[in-house]
């Protein structure tokens, strides 16, 4: 929860931009996230939140700008090499709105696969680590099951374990609870809160205002591809400065 | 019109050995053709333009030309270029090409039917392109493709009857031979037809069984 301010930013985006055709999705975004920081990105649909998140691990290719994660910097104006991309993706874990577990593998294989193929661990070591992670998200008893036998909330917790298995330096969450009913969302949020408290650097695109206010260190509001406001979570959520932020939060609270 | 019992007994060894050649040609064509289909499917989906054009050329010729034309071309046409093949090899090559071309489309469509999120998940956990295919896309895609591939295999089995035109002693050739020596064409061909059915009908039943089970990993 407490960000280490003196370590320099772990993630730095400089003048990041992205178009879909003539539509400007990200307009010269500058952003720094320090190690241990939990950043919540909120804002209306179509504001570019998810695109921004997906650019950080290059699932979307930006048109311009610089992306730095740890020691890797990628210049979006030229084609990224395979080794740059794999370096980037090893440092960055991603959790999707729709979980995207591999349906033809058991829960354990889902978590172990990348450890064996990417980190070169033996199956035994990988499975051992996977069991620790499954225990951490409270699902050790599901190891031998197929994902379809698990509820949405359980699947999302498994997806979190799958990402953690690569020991990432930062975890990206793309609306991790939006496909879940409120109760199942809660169990995912509990895992995310535990992760935040353990010091993981996290960037979370979310509509969960409680998470933004109570768990994250920093909140950022986006609209029309721009950062409208960014600051300590309590300040942005309780005392926003920008008219656009006030309007968005009012709409959220009036529901 | 119907073969007598005695006729059947005397023809059967001949017909069964023909059937055995038909089955051998089928098995070899599939064993060579389906892996080719996989390679062609990946070629058609490849990023490189040269690869894509070559793969598309092989697929479009293999699907565009009737199997009969491919057979004739390889058996009668290729010797003109100095390459002479026996009727068995020519049959296998022609039908394997045909198989490769058709199954590549089946496999390509199956791979493309896998949800986009599966690719994204594979990429985001750092799998390279090869591992992504091997562990994530192919196991799911081939499961989708399996019923169609099996269905196509039955067509290739029936297609081996075309090899009659390049003097391969398969089932139809044998029946025709019997006809020409006994003038009992219809009963001989009828017996051959029954033998085709003995393989094709159980195979079709198997396909519909597999079809019901395919994708049931989602409910395991």
């Amino acid at each position: 929860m407490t960000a280490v301010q003196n370590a320099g930013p772990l993630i730095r985006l400089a003048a990041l931009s992205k178009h879909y055709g003539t539509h400007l999705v990200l307009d010269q975004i500058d952003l720094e996230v320090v190690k241990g920081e939990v950043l919540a990105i909120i804002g209306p649909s179509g504001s570019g939140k998810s695109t921004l998140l997906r650019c950080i691990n290059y699932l979307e290719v930006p048109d311009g700008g610089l992306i730095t994660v740890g020691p890797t910097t990628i210049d979006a104006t030229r084609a990224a090499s395979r080794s740059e991309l794999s370096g980037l993706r090893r440092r960055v874990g991603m959790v999707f709105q729709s979980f995207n577990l591999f349906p033809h593998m058991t829960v354990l294989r889902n978590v172990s696969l990348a450890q064996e193929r990417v980190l070169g661990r033996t199956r035994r070591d990988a499975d051992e680590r996977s069991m620790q992670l499954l225990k951490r998200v409270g699902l050790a008893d599901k190891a031998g099951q197929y994902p379809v036998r698990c509820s949405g909330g359980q699947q999302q917790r498994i997806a979190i374990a799958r990402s953690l298995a690569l020991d990432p330096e930062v975890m990206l969450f793309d609306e991790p609870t939006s496909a879940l009913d409120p109760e199942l969302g809660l169990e995912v949020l509990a895992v995310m809160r535990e992760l935040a408290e353990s010091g993981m650097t996290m960037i979370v695109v979310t509509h969960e205002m409680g998470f933004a206010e109570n768990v994250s260190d920093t909140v950022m509001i986006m609209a029309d591809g721009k950062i409208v406001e960014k600051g300590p979570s309590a300040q942005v959520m309780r005392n926003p400065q920008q008219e656009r932020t006030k309007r968005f939060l009012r709409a959220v609270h009036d529901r | 019109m119907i073969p007598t019992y005695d006729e059947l007994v005397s023809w059967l060894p001949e017909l069964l050995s023909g059937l055995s050649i038909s089955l051998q040609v089928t098995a070899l064509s599939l064993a060579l053709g389906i892996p080719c289909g996989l390679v062609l499917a990946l070629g058609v989906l490849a990023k490189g333009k040269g690869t894509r054009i070559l793969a598309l050329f092989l697929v479009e010729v293999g699907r565009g030309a009737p199997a009969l034309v491919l057979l004739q071309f390889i058996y009668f046409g290729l010797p003109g270029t100095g390459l002479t093949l026996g009727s068995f090899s020519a049959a296998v090559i022609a039908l394997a090409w045909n198989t490769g071309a058709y199954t590549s489309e089946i496999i390509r469509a199956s791979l493309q039917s896998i949800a986009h999120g599966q690719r994204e998940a594979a990429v985001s956990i750092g799998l390279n392109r090869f591992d992504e295919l091997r562990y994530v896309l192919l196991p799911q895609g081939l499961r989708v493709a399996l019923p169609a591939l099996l269905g196509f295999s039955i067509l290739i089995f029936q297609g081996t009857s075309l090899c009659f035109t390049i003097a391969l002693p398969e089932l139809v050739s044998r029946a025709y031979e019997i006809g020409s020596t006994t003038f009992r064409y219809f009963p001989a061909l009828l017996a051959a037809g029954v033998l085709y059915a003995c393989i094709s009908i159980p195979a079709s039943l198997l396909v519909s069984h597999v079809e019901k089970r395919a994708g049931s990993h989602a409910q395991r």
Side-chain angles (χ1 to χ4, degrees), chain A residues 53-180:
Chain A
L53 198 72
R54 291 159 58 82
C55 281
I56 296 176
N57 75 344
Y58 248 66
L59 277 182
E60 301 274 356
V61 179
D63 303 327
L66 295 174
I67 299 174
T68 305
V69 178
T72 315
T73 296
I74 295 183
D75 180 352
T77 49
R78 54 179 185 78
S81 74
R82 225 170 259 205
S83 66
E84 282 178 318
L85 288 185
S86 70
L88 179 71
R89 286 173 181 145
R90 269 176 71 156
R91 290 198 181 83
V92 180
M94 178 96 178
V95 173
F96 300 89
Q97 179 177 353
S98 49
F99 331 135
N100 296 345
L101 293 178
F102 305 129
H104 59 297
M105 295 178 200
T106 62
V107 167
L108 187 65
R109 288 304 297 154
N110 264 278
V111 185
S112 290
L113 178 67
Q115 297 178 62
E116 288 169 34
R117 301 306 304 170
V118 181
L119 301 183
R121 287 183 188 151
T122 63
R123 179 175 276 218
R124 245 189 82 197
D125 290 351
D127 284 349
E128 198 176 310
R129 173 81 177 124
S130 300
M131 287 309 296
Q132 284 173 7
L133 288 166
L134 287 172
K135 223 168 270 166
R136 183 169 174 190
V137 300
L139 292 169
D141 58 319
K142 292 283 182 189
Q145 299 273 358
Y146 284 84
V148 77
R149 284 265 177 242
C150 303
S151 72
Q154 290 169 337
Q155 289 193 44
Q156 191 63 296
R157 284 146 66 197
I158 295 159
I160 293 174
R162 180 175 68 177
S163 283
L164 287 175
L166 288 165
D167 303 317
E169 290 170 32
V170 55
M171 288 279 285
L172 309 179
F173 292 83
D174 189 6
E175 301 197 23
T177 56
S178 297
L180 300 171

Side-chain angles (χ1 to χ4, degrees), chain A residues 1 38 189 192-193 196 202 210-217 233:
Chain A
M1 289 262 273
V38 178
L189 288 170
M192 290 170 64
R193 177 189 279 267
M202 295 162 64
F211 182 88
E213 184 165 347
N214 303 319
V215 182
S216 65
D217 304 302
S233 54

Side-chain angles (χ1 to χ4, degrees), chain A residues 1-34:
Chain A
M1 289 262 273
T2 44
V4 184
Q5 295 292 349
N6 55 8
L10 177 63
I11 295 168
R12 185 202 299 266
L13 308 179
L16 197 72
S17 55
K18 170 84 182 167
H19 297 75
Y20 289 129
T22 58
H23 178 61
L24 185 62
V25 198
L26 295 177
D27 185 5
Q28 305 279 325
I29 301 283
D30 294 305
L31 177 67
E32 288 184 356
V33 179
V34 297

Side-chain angles (χ1 to χ4, degrees), chain B residues 12-51:
Chain B
L12 208 54
E14 193 80 345
L15 291 176
L16 284 179
S17 106
L19 178 65
S20 150
I21 289 180
S22 299
L23 287 170
Q24 285 170 39
V25 171
T26 308
L28 278 172
S29 304
L30 295 174
L32 291 174
I34 292 178
C36 286
L38 174 58
V39 171
L40 287 173
L42 297 179
V44 170
L45 294 174
K47 285 205 186 93
K49 208 171 174 191
T51 317

